[in-house]
Amino acid sequence: MSPIRHCLSLLDFTTPELIALLERASELKCMRQQGEPHVLLPQKTLGMLFEKASTRTRVSFEAGMAQMGGSALFLSPRDTQLGRGEPVADTARVLSRMVDAIMIRAHEHRTLEIFAEHSVVPVINALTDQFHPCQLLADMQTWFEHRGPIEGRTVAWVGDGNNVCHSYINAAARLGFTLRVASPPGYEPDATIINTAGAEVAVMQAPEEAVAGADLVVTDVWTSMGQEDENARRLQDFHGYQVNSALMARAAPEALFMHCLPAHRGEEVSTEVIDGPQSVVWDEAENRLHAQKALLEFLIPR
Ligand code: CP
Ligand code: NVA
């Protein structure tokens, strides 16, 4: 039997594996659109452990399992023994004897790693403080569907050097695009993550410099889940980092705009950009479903 594979970050996959996953995601999307049955995971169960809120991730994983003939169950520390202090390692040992894969949205990336160390089934990162690989699968699928290969293109990240930004760094390493990150001082992405990925990443302060001629402009909220106490400070510190029409005008004429959502219109992005013709955020959100179905099919042994 081949060893179990996890998806803790995009670096768990080779470049050919990632490209195959993205192609499969688009195939699964077509099958669903054409009403073609794709009962690929019959009787398989996905455990979904959420330490933080979610709309897209929960619904896409749950609907995806149902569409492939399996099922998913929602778990949270509030209504499991985790919330009463049962160790993560013990929870992993127990749950993984009952289900076929587990996805976790955790405050700390270390929780996910401990879970994976003790799980006998694949563990999927559904967002931690460090990474959000499932989001990048959807973003890259969306790029491919609109524009083809991303190798050699330039992506501008404007705003917080956060978990989604870190997954962009990993994607740049695996898929060969240039990444320019513009963040206010103190909010840059983690240098260790940049060095580990070995990606071509330029970190700067001026959004205008990052966006100049870029093929894809991406942003995310200024205050991520768990940072709510810093909100007032962040609103001040990120002043000037909004992706608006003036900023988009500096990108390539055919540039696309992406945002993982949920978005705060009037903060990190203007209404005219997120609801405008360059925005592909709704395709991006939908592709969470298809990309994760491809991921589940890839990871769950049959
Ligand atoms: N983009 C994303 O992960 O959305 P949710 O927090 O709604 O799952
Ligand atoms: N950076 C955001 C992404 C939400 C999907 C957060 O961690 O809250």
Side-chain angles (χ1 to χ4, degrees), residues 1 12 22 34 53 78 83 87 144 153 163 209-210 220 234 243 250 254 265 276:
M1 232 173 75
D12 287 327
L22 298 170
Q34 288 165 7
R78 268 183 310 283
F144 286 162
R153 299 292 203 128
N163 43 10
E209 195 187 335
D220 187 12
R234 283 173 171 266
V243 179
R250 294 173 179 264
E254 299 283 295
R265 288 171 173 79

Side-chain angles (χ1 to χ4, degrees), residues 53-57 105 132 135 225 260-262 288:
S54 167
T55 296
R56 281 144 286 269
T57 305
R105 171 163 284 194
H132 195 3
Q135 184 64 52
M225 289 182 278
C260 63
L261 307 177
R288 293 292 304 277

